[in-house]
């Protein structure tokens, strides 16, 4: 059943009913007051007179009353529903910033408040539940760090062929734990509606590349940074953008073969592109990877894990996008133009 | 080089100390701040590694307090917290470096070595990385026994890169350090100086020690690969 109870239709029906009942009552009143009898109505003169009387006392008042009423009612209803439609637009616009979102009730009619208050209350409870869940995940991740550090150091001490392999596995677990904590942080800052600052993408790229370069070079790979003309800026949180870029570069390094180069490009648009020596990632595969728990087939045992999901979240929080261009084997962070 | 590890998790402290020992440091462990006070009273340390949450107090406050009254060895703060605010607080309190727990022993060792190469009251007169040795007073460089003939500017460049071996030195930093304010710097002056130095290092046998990170800067490898 797709039947919807439309308020307008109901009102139209109500008004039609009022008109009908009014007509009958007025007709009865006219008949009664003028003491019209059936005989009067059969006489030609009397009938014309009666009809005129009826037009004057029934049809005219009805038209005078009903038309403005219908008009005003229609207007009031449209206004009331316009504010609801605006609220719906605001809800739709909040896509990606759901955390902490509440329907703004300041422009809504009082009659809608019980409903919106109930919805807001539900949103609050959902937020609380999500927050508890994330806090729990962050706690678990945090608690896992020390035992993993101990395990890793124990393997470090072990003089055995398998030690390096095991240590590698532990390093993968540690990275996952760090990513879980980062994800919790990203969600928390998204919820906090952090104040936006204007940040230089070139500066962020230089910092992150400087920080990661020693490990990349030690792995026998290279990294370069090409800066285009202009000063590409983005509005957002510096640490978060740096974390997104770090994850993207770490991902690129993983798929780049020994002796290969990871190339970062910034500007002139507010875009940071990370090119790797891998096979390129199709948009479909990227969408899959962004959904948290999957992992690219070509990734090693220390696979990306949550990396790209985190990048996607950070970009969404900045009103930007993570895109892929498999033809040039690049993943890009697109920020909205400042 | 003697290092004091201040860490309340007994097992972690032992493993860190053990790892550092196998990399040529001699280590002592303090599991509380009062332990650390007595250790620092009884011996001279080249560096301390400090955990922030200790049973008898906050590491940052302790460090700031000690820095006020006494000469302190350089300190690396080690903490499970990774937030930026912690980093700023720690560095304000007088920490020289900051690592996020859990840290790799290799990284920690590299950070300690980097700290000891910094100019300061306990700065070493000879800087080393891999086979390279640079005497900061005599301004002479060697790779093993091979003496490297360097111009004044190349020697300055090598010293700058050696002091930060294992980390990327930004191009702008090199420009600022090598050329004074009034000197006109041609766009590729730094590139030219670096490529001359690289050729000399290659001839001396330190092949592949000096890396270019295009668009960012240069890096001298910390340990010969």
């Amino acid at each position: 059943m797709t039947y919807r109870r439309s308020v307008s239709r109901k009102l139209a029906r109500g008004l039609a009913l009022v008109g009908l009942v009014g007509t009958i009552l007025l007709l009865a009143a006219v008949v009664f007051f003028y003491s019209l009898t059936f005989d009067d109505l059969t006489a030609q003169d009397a009938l014309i007179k009666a009809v005129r009387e009826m037009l004057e006392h029934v049809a005219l008042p009805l038209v005078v009353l009903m038309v403005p009423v219908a008009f005003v009612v229609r207007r009031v209803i449209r206004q009331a529903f316009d504010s609801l439609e605006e609220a719906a637009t605001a809800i739709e616009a909040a896509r990606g910033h759901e955390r902490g979102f509440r329907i703004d009730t300041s422009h809504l009619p009082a009659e809608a408040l019980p409903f919106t208050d109930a919805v807001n209350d539900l949103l609050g409870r959902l937020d609380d539940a999500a927050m508890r869940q994330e806090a729990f995940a962050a706690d678990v991740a945090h608690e896992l760090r020390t035992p993993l550090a101990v395990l890793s150091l124990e393997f470090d001490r072990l003089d055995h062929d398998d030690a390096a392999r095991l240590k590698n596995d532990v390093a993968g677990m540690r990275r996952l734990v760090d990513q879980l904590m980062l994800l919790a942080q990203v969600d928390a800052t998204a919820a906090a509606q952090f104040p936006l600052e204007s940040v230089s993408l070139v500066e962020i790229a230089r910092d992150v590349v400087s920080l990661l370069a020693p490990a990349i070079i030690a792995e026998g790979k290279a990294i370069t940074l090409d800066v285009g003309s202009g000063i590409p800026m983005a509005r957002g949180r510096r640490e978060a953008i740096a974390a997104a870029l770090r994850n993207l570069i770490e991902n690129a390094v993983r798929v780049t073969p020994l002796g290969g180069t990871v190339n970062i490009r910034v500007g002139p648009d507010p875009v940071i592109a990370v090119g790797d020596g891998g096979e390129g990632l199709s948009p479909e595969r990227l969408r899959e990877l962004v959904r948290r728990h999957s992992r690219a087939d070509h990734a090693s045992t220390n696979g990306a894990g949550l990396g790209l999901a985190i990048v996607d979240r950070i970009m969404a929080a900045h009103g930007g996008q993570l895109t892929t261009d498999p033809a040039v084997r690049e993943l890009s962070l697109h920020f909205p133009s400042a | 080089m003697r290092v004091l590890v201040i860490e309340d998790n007994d097992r972690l402290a032992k493993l860190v100390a053990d790892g550092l020992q196998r990399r040529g440091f001699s280590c002592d462990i303090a599991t509380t701040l009062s332990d650390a006070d007595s250790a620092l009273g009884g011996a001279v340390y080249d560096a301390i590694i400090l955990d922030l949450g200790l049973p008898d107090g906050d590491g940052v406050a302790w460090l700031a307090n000690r820095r006020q009254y006494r000469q302190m060895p350089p300190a690396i703060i080690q903490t499970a917290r990774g937030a930026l605010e912690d980093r700023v607080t720690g560095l304000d309190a007088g920490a020289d470096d900051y690592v996020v727990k859990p840290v790799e022993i290799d990284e920690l060792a590299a950070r300690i070595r980097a700290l000891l190469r910094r100019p300061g009251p306990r700065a070493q007169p000879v800087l080393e990385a891999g086979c390279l040795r640079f005497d900061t007073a005599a301004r002479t460089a060697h790779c093993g026994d091979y003496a490297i003939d360097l111009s004044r500017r190349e020697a300055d460049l090598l010293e700058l890169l050696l002091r930060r071996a294992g980390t990327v030195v930004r191009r702008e930093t090199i420009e600022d350090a090598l050329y004074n304010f009034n000197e006109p710097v041609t766009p590729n002056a730094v590139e030219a100086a670096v490529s001359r130095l690289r050729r000399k290092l290659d001839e001396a046998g330190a092949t592949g020690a000096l890396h270019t990170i295009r668009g960012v800067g240069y890096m001298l490898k910390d340990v010969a690969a």
Side-chain angles (χ1 to χ4, degrees), chain A residues 142 145-146 149-150 152-154 156-157 167 174 203 206-207 209-210 213-214 217 223-226 239, chain B residues 9 11-12 15-16 18 22-23 80 84 100-102 104-105 166 168 170 211 213-216 219 221:
Chain A
H142 188 85
R145 281 181 139 191
T146 303
V150 168
S152 169
L153 292 170
E154 289 282 10
D156 198 41
R157 226 157 56 140
K167 214 185 149 194
R174 277 168 57 176
E203 264 317 299
R206 284 229 167 91
D207 279 352
V209 172
S210 301
I217 288 169
I223 182 162
T224 64
L225 173 68
D226 287 323
E239 291 296 301
Chain B
N9 184 322
R11 194 150 166 231
L12 206 57
L15 285 163
V16 168
D18 185 68
R22 275 178 298 112
R23 283 162 183 80
L84 185 71
V100 177
K101 224 156 113 177
E104 293 282 339
I105 293 295
V168 176
R170 297 271 193 96
H211 288 267
I213 298 95
R214 183 157 59 83
V216 182
M219 185 187 93
K221 263 199 180 176

Side-chain angles (χ1 to χ4, degrees), chain B residues 1-3 19-25 46-49 74 76 97 99 104-119 122-124 126-130 132 161-167 220-224:
Chain B
M1 280 180 283
R2 196 160 179 188
V3 178
L20 287 175
Q21 248 144 23
R22 275 178 298 112
R23 283 162 183 80
F25 298 90
D46 295 290
I48 59 176
I49 294 162
I76 297 178
D97 204 353
V99 291
E104 293 282 339
I105 293 295
D106 281 328
E107 190 192 341
L108 196 56
R111 301 279 186 112
I112 298 170
R113 281 199 296 272
L115 270 191
L116 299 177
R117 278 195 294 255
R118 277 192 198 170
R122 298 186 61 85
Q124 293 169 309
V126 177
L127 304 171
E128 286 181 69
L132 288 169
L161 292 168
L162 266 173
R163 284 200 189 279
R164 302 181 188 199
T167 62
L220 202 62
K221 263 199 180 176
D222 191 14
V223 194

